[in-house]
Amino acid sequence: MNLRLIGIGAGVLIILSLPLAGAIAGPDFAGQDDGKGGGLFKTLGLSGPARPSPAPAGRPAEPAATEQPRPAEQPRTDSRCGPELTSPHGVEAQTCVLVAEGQTWGRSYYRNTSGRALDAVLTVMGPAGRTVQIRCPVGAGDEPGLCETPKEDSGGGPESYSAVAEFAVPDDEGQLLLRSGSNSPAHGDG
């Protein structure tokens, strides 16, 4: 009878210890991932770097799990944009002044549904008469695009800059189809 009681006690002990063994073994115990990347030892800070587990016969060994570095945080970019404008000639645009890490530049988002190639000229005006200008070809398709000036060291706050994009037909007449500004009043603002 004592042997029978010892056998039952040993069986109960084994059954109760299996979840603990799984937690100690880590996330891949019995093919189940706990989603935390670790198990009990890692949770308690007792484990070292992850090591590859031995491969079953006939399968290649799995590479060691390594902690992935977090991607570098992108610097914050502040923007001041005018309204989205649409011309009756099939040009849509919105122009912005952007500021990040002590640099300022202009950007115009556009879409050309006019059916012909256009020229865009984007000008950024800053304090003390500083001006940066760039010419961008605008294709005849209606895919969205952007025109952007080079980044320049900021000479003041973002409110001291403005940007204007002008979209025109690239011929001798240069018919202006749309002018979009970073500080244009929104519709109904007068």
Side-chain angles (χ1 to χ4, degrees), residues 68-91:
Q68 297 295 323
R70 290 181 175 220
E73 282 193 33
Q74 296 296 319
R76 179 185 167 109
T77 301
D78 292 320
S79 64
R80 191 167 46 83
C81 299
E84 295 178 30
L85 301 176
T86 303
S87 80
H89 305 287
V91 181

Side-chain angles (χ1 to χ4, degrees), residues 34-174:
D34 66 1
K36 298 176 186 169
L40 183 61
F41 280 162
K42 187 164 187 164
T43 302
L44 297 175
L46 301 174
S47 69
R51 287 175 262 167
S53 55
R59 288 195 355 204
E62 293 182 20
T66 58
E67 293 200 20
Q68 297 295 323
R70 290 181 175 220
E73 282 193 33
Q74 296 296 319
R76 179 185 167 109
T77 301
D78 292 320
S79 64
R80 191 167 46 83
C81 299
E84 295 178 30
L85 301 176
T86 303
S87 80
H89 305 287
V91 181
E92 303 170 12
Q94 182 179 31
T95 302
C96 306
V97 171
L98 303 158
V99 178
E101 294 188 318
Q103 295 192 307
T104 303
W105 68 100
R107 180 182 293 165
S108 186
Y109 303 94
Y110 63 83
R111 185 174 178 152
N112 176 16
T113 61
S114 71
R116 56 185 164 186
L118 304 174
D119 277 339
V121 176
L122 176 60
T123 305
V124 176
M125 295 148 290
R130 293 170 55 180
T131 302
V132 176
Q133 189 174 69
I134 189 165
R135 181 176 299 271
C136 299
V138 176
D142 68 349
E143 291 297 315
L146 66 89
C147 181
E148 186 171 273
T149 66
K151 296 176 182 179
E152 298 284 329
D153 290 337
S154 297
E159 67 283 346
S160 60
Y161 286 86
S162 62
V164 174
E166 296 177 316
F167 296 84
V169 177
D171 59 14
D172 293 336
E173 295 177 27

